Amino acid sequence: MKIIQLLPWTDWVALGFFVVVWIGYAVFAKHWSDGKHSILAMTNRYRHLWMLQTTARDPRMLDGIITQTLSATPAFFCSTSILILGGLFALLGTTDKAAELVREIPFAEQTPILVFEFKILVLVVIFVYSFFRFSWSMRQYTFVALLIGAMPPPDTFAHEGAPNRQKYADRAAAMTGLAAETFNGGLRAYYFSFAALGWFFSPAMFVFATLLVAGVLYTREFKSEVLALLEE
């Protein structure tokens, strides 16, 4: 209850704006990708083409290597999230020195120690969320490997009454797309953690950084040069 009294209403508004923008952008990006061109939608097409090639390939060693390579990225960010969480908890033990350092930065607002610790805990929540997203993405890539391993030999699809090749490809591509989307959620948390750093300076900086991060994410997902190349 004490933090409610110490934290000014402008900070609560900025924090609420941050949460609304984050959640709102995630919902927007998911639904906008269904009907418009985006990085996720375009790469999903290539994932489907990949899985169609996989059903016709024997042996499928190359596909296993690709899946392992893809799962290495969320594994890296997952371990990085643990290191960052350790650093944040260590920072909670030295909040006096950290708060004093922030006060010396020009234009930074003076905040009580309890408020400073609360802001650190917000960062902790963000990276805990990212850890769960990255770890779930890792597990989903293991499911992709299982689907690839369970695919019948290419010759089997040609026989009458054989399993449907298209269904196998669709299922494996959909699982790969889910793993990529989950990874995007964790990576998005990393982006918004930079916006949360603006809160240590002022609520106005927090709001500005939140809008800036949302703009950067939109540009990269819907207006980037990479997307233009994938569409060619």
Side-chain angles (χ1 to χ4, degrees):
M1 295 297 294
K2 192 174 181 180
I3 188 63
I4 298 177
Q5 299 173 357
L6 290 176
L7 198 64
W9 67 269
T10 52
D11 288 270
W12 285 114
V13 171
L15 180 59
F17 180 79
F18 171 78
V19 174
V20 169
V21 170
W22 186 354
I23 297 175
Y25 180 82
V27 173
F28 162 80
K30 181 177 178 59
H31 290 283
W32 193 259
S33 296
D34 295 337
K36 299 289 183 180
H37 293 300
S38 68
I39 290 289
L40 182 61
M42 291 305 301
T43 52
N44 278 340
R45 295 183 186 179
Y46 284 96
R47 291 183 184 97
H48 188 263
L49 292 174
W50 168 30
M51 289 305 167
L52 279 175
Q53 293 291 331
T54 301
T55 58
R57 190 163 27 230
D58 191 28
R60 299 188 173 105
M61 185 180 300
L62 175 63
D63 306 290
I65 293 173
I66 295 174
T67 305
Q68 184 178 9
T69 303
L70 291 174
S71 65
T73 305
F76 168 78
F77 279 100
C78 191
S79 58
T80 303
S81 299
I82 295 176
L83 294 175
I84 293 174
L85 286 170
L88 289 173
F89 280 116
L91 185 61
L92 285 173
T94 59
T95 49
D96 293 338
K97 294 181 180 179
E100 184 179 350
L101 177 63
V102 172
R103 292 191 191 102
E104 294 178 357
I105 300 175
F107 309 110
E109 291 188 355
Q110 306 296 317
T111 57
I113 297 298
L114 183 61
V115 173
F116 190 84
E117 291 176 344
F118 177 72
K119 293 178 180 180
I120 295 175
L121 287 176
V122 170
L123 283 174
V124 169
V125 171
I126 292 173
F127 284 104
V128 166
Y129 170 80
S130 69
F131 169 80
F132 281 107
R133 296 295 286 181
F134 289 131
S135 60
W136 181 230
S137 178
M138 288 168 53
R139 288 207 63 192
Q140 286 175 318
Y141 276 118
T142 63
F143 302 151
V144 173
L146 287 173
L147 288 173
I148 293 175
M151 285 183 183
D155 297 340
T156 307
F157 292 111
H159 298 159
E160 185 177 353
N164 190 296
R165 177 188 177 194
Q166 187 68 44
K167 287 184 178 180
Y168 267 93
D170 290 345
R171 187 179 297 112
M175 180 60 69
T176 312
L178 285 176
E181 187 176 350
T182 305
F183 173 77
N184 282 348
L187 194 60
R188 194 176 291 135
Y190 267 56
Y191 275 91
F192 277 102
S193 69
F194 285 99
L197 291 176
W199 197 16
F200 288 91
F201 298 93
S202 68
M205 180 63 72
F206 190 17
V207 171
F208 173 76
T210 301
L211 291 174
L212 181 62
V213 166
V216 170
L217 287 172
Y218 174 79
T219 302
R220 293 190 173 182
E221 292 189 46
F222 298 96
K223 300 293 182 180
S224 65
E225 295 179 357
V226 174
L227 178 59
L229 289 173
L230 290 173
E231 290 177 335
E232 291 181 355

